[in-house]
Amino acid sequence: MKIAVLGTGYVGLSTGVCLSEVGHHVICIDIDDQKINRLRQGISPIYEPGLEDLLTKNTAAGNLQFTTSHQEGIENAEVIIIAVGTPQRNDGAADLSYLLQAAKDVSAHLKPDSIVVIKSTVPVGTNDYVKSIITNHTKKPFKMVSNPEFLRQGSAIKDTMKADRIIIGSEDKEAALKIQEMYRPLNVPILMTNVRSAEMIKYASNAFLATKISFINEIANLCEAVGANIIDVANGMGKDKRIGEAFLQAGIGYGGSCFPKDVKALLHTAGLHGVDFSLLRETIAINDEQQKLLFTKACSRLKQLKDKKIAMLGLSFKPETDDMREAPSIKIAHLLHEAEAKVVAYDPVAKDNAKKILGDTIEYASSVDQAIENADAVFIVTEWNEFKQLDLTEVTKHMKQPIIFDGRNCFEENKIRACSKIEYYPVGKPAIVVGLDT
Ligand SMILES: NC(=O)c1ccc[n+]([C@@H]2O[C@H](COP(=O)([O-])OP(=O)(O)OC[C@H]3O[C@@H](n4cnc5c(N)ncnc54)[C@H](O)[C@@H]3O)[C@@H](O)[C@H]2O)c1
């Protein structure tokens, strides 16, 4: 099929690359000419494992093209996938301005009987709204399909090629079947629904996962208070098939470009319809507090943070991505900065994006060794494999005080106990102190 994808962000680019990999002819469109120039040279503007290989392969094979021209991209496409951003507005609602502009761009160039697919995460009713906008701007017949995306950054290619499910929402059977056909080579379970259910499935899924995270984080806080161990508790809970093991890893809260904004947008939608979804308000409030956990623990242990050197390991909101949107590291960095601590951070890939948000609030190290040298404490903020594999004996040797606040429970107890001197503060488990009087 001839497919146009609007937006070459995490979702649009991954989708475009994967659809070209399974044999479709894909043209990706973006308004950002720097991104398109880099993509034309085979360089991915985002860090995503496996993406660049498929990008170069399919560009060379002629299946994948990039353009800033909506006309060039859309005029021959049978299917037009909109994957532009839907960020958060100040009132919590989804900002649909990019989407509405994209709808106008599509209507200016679409060919008759093409199918417009909304992949961006949009509040219930948005597909209908976009349909009315396109209808107002063109006389050509077209069809609409809602096809929300569930990929996770850091495993976007794998998630697209081997998705748990694909949701196709449409009131037009022929259009739904055509999109089913488009995805057939992926051999993934497909669920057909009406448009509004498809829109709701996306928000309900993200809100549920965010709530699961806030729930396990509250259980972790309670474990610390009562002397239980969150790893054993989560393990014992997760073995129950009704609960499942995923999303039971306690830590310092969720972040990223989706959970924070999607939970708030769903809460906003509920409010518009007179539904008091108080559970979601709690999910958000718990997460806001949880992001402060390492800072609170450090204040209580070190008393005074002024002029203390804190090494922050990890900046991105999760491993295997350079995305800094709503990362817990942002709040932690600001709190430490206000407390006049000297923060030196290291992240394997997110440094450039972090600089755009945090500027000179913190210093940026180019290695773990540089960050931890002479530090009063280490904060583990993102669970990169590089950090999980650290030799803690070596790490603590180079610190001024061997104090580690681990926000992601990266280490097994025996590894910590093998150190000659360490004070280790995990989440939801008792602290471990070796070779020191505290
Ligand atoms: N990032 C994720 O993990 C993820 C997962 C599932 C769903 N989603 C949803 O998918 C959507 C896209 O998310 P993202 O993270 O890929 O966004 P992003 O911000 O990384 O990328 C959006 C891209 O769209 C481009 N764009 C904006 N207006 C355009 C237009 N008129 N024509 C062409 N290009 C245009 C921007 O320049 C940008 O490159 C959002 O609704 C998001 O909620 C994201």
Side-chain angles (χ1 to χ4, degrees):
M1 284 183 201
K2 287 187 176 162
I3 300 167
V5 182
L6 271 80
T8 58
Y10 291 87
V11 168
L13 187 56
S14 306
T15 304
V17 164
C18 289
L19 289 174
S20 71
E21 172 69 9
V22 298
H24 296 300
H25 293 280
V26 180
I27 181 156
C28 294
I29 311 156
D30 206 291
I31 48 175
D32 183 337
D33 49 4
Q34 278 186 357
K35 263 190 192 177
I36 294 297
N37 283 339
R38 296 186 74 191
L39 284 162
R40 281 180 173 150
Q41 295 166 46
I43 305 167
S44 170
I46 51 170
Y47 175 79
E48 197 53 59
L51 177 62
E52 218 163 68
D53 288 348
L54 293 187
L55 170 70
T56 13
K57 180 183 158 199
N58 288 291
T59 309
N63 287 348
L64 185 59
Q65 288 172 277
F66 297 95
T67 182
T68 51
S69 159
H70 287 93
Q71 178 171 3
E72 184 193 355
I74 292 167
E75 66 186 358
N76 293 317
E78 299 158 70
V79 175
I80 302 149
I81 300 176
I82 302 181
V84 301
T86 49
Q88 189 188 309
R89 265 182 2 199
N90 287 339
D91 62 356
D95 175 356
L96 299 179
S97 54
Y98 297 105
L99 185 80
L100 299 184
Q101 181 55 48
K104 287 176 195 162
D105 296 335
V106 168
S107 56
H109 305 293
L110 57 69
K111 69 170 192 165
D113 298 318
S114 48
I115 301 176
V116 179
V117 175
I118 298 191
K119 189 169 265 305
S120 302
T121 303
V122 293
V124 176
T126 306
N127 273 262
D128 292 343
Y129 182 43
V130 166
K131 187 176 183 180
S132 70
I133 290 189
I134 301 179
T135 309
N136 286 341
H137 283 81
T138 181
K139 292 202 163 36
K140 294 175 198 156
F142 67 96
K143 287 163 183 164
M144 294 277 307
V145 167
S146 167
N147 170 223
E149 180 54 56
F150 298 91
L151 63 76
R152 297 162 298 173
Q153 286 172 226
S155 53
I157 297 300
K158 191 173 128 259
D159 290 349
T160 308
M161 298 302 255
K162 294 188 190 313
D164 289 342
R165 78 313 204 179
I166 288 171
I167 304 293
I168 297 176
S170 187
E171 316 307 343
D172 186 299
K173 188 138 191 251
E174 209 181 300
L177 288 174
K178 175 120 180 174
I179 299 307
Q180 185 182 32
E181 194 55 35
M182 178 181 88
Y183 283 121
R184 192 179 299 283
L186 295 178
N187 204 14
V188 160
I190 290 180
L191 180 68
M192 303 278 206
T193 72
N194 67 18
V195 168
R196 287 178 180 235
S197 302
E199 291 170 326
M200 182 57 97
I201 287 168
K202 174 64 194 174
Y203 279 102
S205 302
N206 274 4
F208 183 80
L209 292 172
T211 303
K212 201 171 175 190
I213 294 172
S214 280
F215 181 86
I216 200 66
N217 284 338
E218 279 292 66
I219 293 287
N221 295 337
L222 194 51
C223 282
E224 281 187 29
V226 301
N229 182 323
I230 190 63
I231 303 294
D232 294 338
V233 172
N235 203 6
M237 287 170 66
K239 292 275 179 280
D240 186 328
K241 289 193 187 69
R242 294 169 303 173
I243 297 173
E245 290 174 351
F247 282 76
L248 288 182
Q249 288 72 39
I252 48 170
Y254 61 79
S257 66
C258 291
F259 287 176
K261 79 169 173 69
D262 291 349
V263 178
K264 286 180 188 150
L266 185 58
L267 188 58
H268 188 269
T269 300
L272 288 180
H273 293 271
V275 175
D276 180 24
F277 207 152
S278 57
L279 177 63
L280 294 186
R281 267 198 300 281
E282 280 307 311
T283 295
I284 296 165
I286 291 166
N287 197 60
D288 284 347
E289 275 309 303
Q290 200 70 10
Q291 291 192 348
K292 299 177 193 158
L293 188 69
L294 298 187
F295 176 77
T296 313
K297 286 187 177 186
C299 288
S300 135
R301 168 61 187 91
L302 300 171
K303 310 291 181 235
Q304 178 63 269
L305 290 179
K306 188 169 186 301
D307 298 328
K308 295 270 174 12
K309 177 177 173 181
I310 308 293
M312 253 174 68
L313 299 189
L315 289 164
S316 58
F317 84 93
K318 68 174 187 176
E320 301 299 332
T321 181
D322 57 356
D323 198 343
M324 281 294 295
R325 289 178 282 186
E326 302 284 332
S329 64
I330 300 170
K331 187 176 283 171
I332 298 169
H334 285 306
L335 288 167
L336 289 170
H337 181 69
E338 281 161 26
E340 297 181 65
K342 174 182 152 69
V343 182
V344 183
Y346 168 70
D347 188 286
V349 299
K351 181 165 138 184
D352 291 344
N353 284 341
K355 274 186 180 168
K356 289 180 207 154
I357 296 173
L358 292 168
D360 56 11
T361 311
I362 59 172
E363 287 175 35
Y364 303 89
S366 46
S367 65
V368 171
D369 289 353
Q370 203 186 341
I372 61 165
E373 189 62 40
N374 218 22
D376 291 282
V378 164
F379 281 19
I380 297 180
V381 176
T382 316
E383 65 276 35
W384 283 97
N385 273 337
E386 183 180 344
F387 306 153
K388 287 183 181 171
Q389 284 155 14
L390 283 173
D391 178 343
L392 291 179
T393 307
E394 272 307 303
V395 169
T396 46
K397 254 190 224 164
H398 288 89
M399 296 171 67
K400 195 166 171 187
Q401 315 184 72
I403 304 176
I404 297 182
F405 298 97
D406 183 356
R408 302 293 182 185
N409 290 342
C410 286
F411 304 103
E412 301 279 342
E413 188 171 335
N414 55 7
K415 194 167 174 182
I416 302 152
R417 294 208 178 275
C419 294
S420 52
K421 280 185 184 175
I422 190 167
E423 261 182 75
Y424 175 79
Y425 297 93
V427 177
K429 297 193 279 182
I432 298 176
V433 180
V434 181
L436 297 161
D437 297 326
T438 54

